[in-house]
Amino acid sequence: MSEARTTTRLSVFPLAGALLFPRMHLPLHLFEPRYRAMISDALARDRRIGMIQPRGDGAHPTLFKIGCVGKIAQFEALDDGRYNVVLEGLSLFRIVRELNVTTAFRQVEAELLPVSAEPEILSGASRSSLESESRRFADSQGYAVDWDSVARLDDESLVNGVAQIAPFDVAAKQALLESPTLEDRAEMLVQLMQFFGRHDGEDSVTLQ
């Protein structure tokens, strides 16, 4: 018999293009009343929220099934009620079901996915390919990058950091998040950067 899944209740923040990975950080500026309420609630509880991408637009869009639990590592409460926060990624999660709640923010029952105890490592060839393509990509877009600092990053921080900041569309971002291994994610990043130029008119890369 299979073991029962361990689930948890999570407040979720649907935000297109925003990825968080375990052991990575994501700065956020919260200004909408419902998400200010979500942060206040999280601070009073366990400081956890779930970052998830929406599949579409509107006030209540369908959500992708996979997101990342973030713990509020830093926060600044501004005088007008807004928050600046930094989330630290804890683990990926899979939505089991959305809960019927009275809060302004959405909540789900989520299954927490296993996290490796140590950061994953790339092969030398994959690391070299990713660094080379990242340089070409940055140069073509006019990005100023401190390559000495990049070279000092461990493999996981490099791959996931690029995945978080690269201007890809929602589908591409989600595919990166759901990549089963770091090697797979690095390979996909190289392919996406090579395809840059086929954009949707808003300077974001698409999978089309």
Side-chain angles (χ1 to χ4, degrees):
M1 295 179 65
S2 60
E3 295 183 0
R5 293 180 302 183
T6 300
T7 61
T8 187
R9 186 186 187 109
L10 281 177
S11 302
V12 292
F13 184 15
L15 186 59
L19 291 191
L20 178 61
F21 293 91
R23 290 186 283 268
M24 297 296 289
H25 292 86
L26 179 67
L28 295 170
H29 177 68
L30 288 300
F31 58 89
E32 288 188 54
R34 56 180 165 171
Y35 297 128
R36 286 156 43 182
M38 178 189 68
I39 293 299
S40 296
D41 180 76
L43 289 170
R45 295 176 182 270
D46 58 9
R47 291 184 169 232
R48 299 186 311 161
I49 65 171
M51 293 301 302
I52 193 86
Q53 289 201 115
R55 287 182 178 269
D57 300 322
H60 199 89
T62 301
L63 304 176
F64 281 99
K65 291 297 185 183
I66 303 294
C68 186
V69 181
K71 183 175 183 178
I72 300 172
Q74 301 175 37
F75 77 95
E76 177 188 16
L78 304 179
D79 291 340
D80 59 3
R82 294 175 295 144
Y83 284 102
N84 290 321
V85 305
V86 177
L87 296 182
E88 177 185 359
L90 300 180
S91 69
L92 297 187
F93 68 87
R94 177 182 291 109
I95 293 178
V96 176
R97 64 187 178 96
E98 183 159 0
L99 301 174
N100 185 15
V101 295
T102 58
T103 55
F105 49 90
R106 299 166 72 172
Q107 299 182 50
V108 301
E109 180 185 352
E111 176 191 5
L112 301 182
L113 304 181
V115 181
S116 60
E118 299 293 334
E120 292 184 72
I121 298 174
L122 294 177
S123 67
S126 294
R127 172 84 187 211
S128 177
S129 177
L130 179 59
E131 286 190 352
S132 176
E133 195 58 40
S134 295
R135 284 177 178 269
R136 186 208 64 79
F137 181 86
D139 288 345
S140 69
Q141 300 306 308
Y143 298 156
V145 179
D146 181 351
W147 294 110
D148 289 337
S149 295
V150 170
R152 292 192 293 270
L153 292 174
D154 63 73
D155 293 342
E156 188 177 82
S157 296
L158 173 63
V159 173
N160 293 343
V162 173
Q164 285 188 180
I165 66 174
F168 303 144
D169 68 3
V170 169
K173 289 275 196 174
Q174 191 67 27
L176 289 167
L177 183 69
E178 297 183 17
S179 295
T181 69
L182 195 68
E183 286 277 355
D184 293 329
R185 188 171 300 129
E187 181 179 355
M188 184 179 295
L189 277 171
V190 169
Q191 293 173 350
L192 287 167
M193 287 188 287
Q194 288 173 343
F195 293 156
F196 191 84
R198 301 178 184 177
H199 55 80
D200 60 7
E202 296 182 355
D203 296 326
S204 59
V205 179
T206 76
L207 289 176
Q208 304 301 317

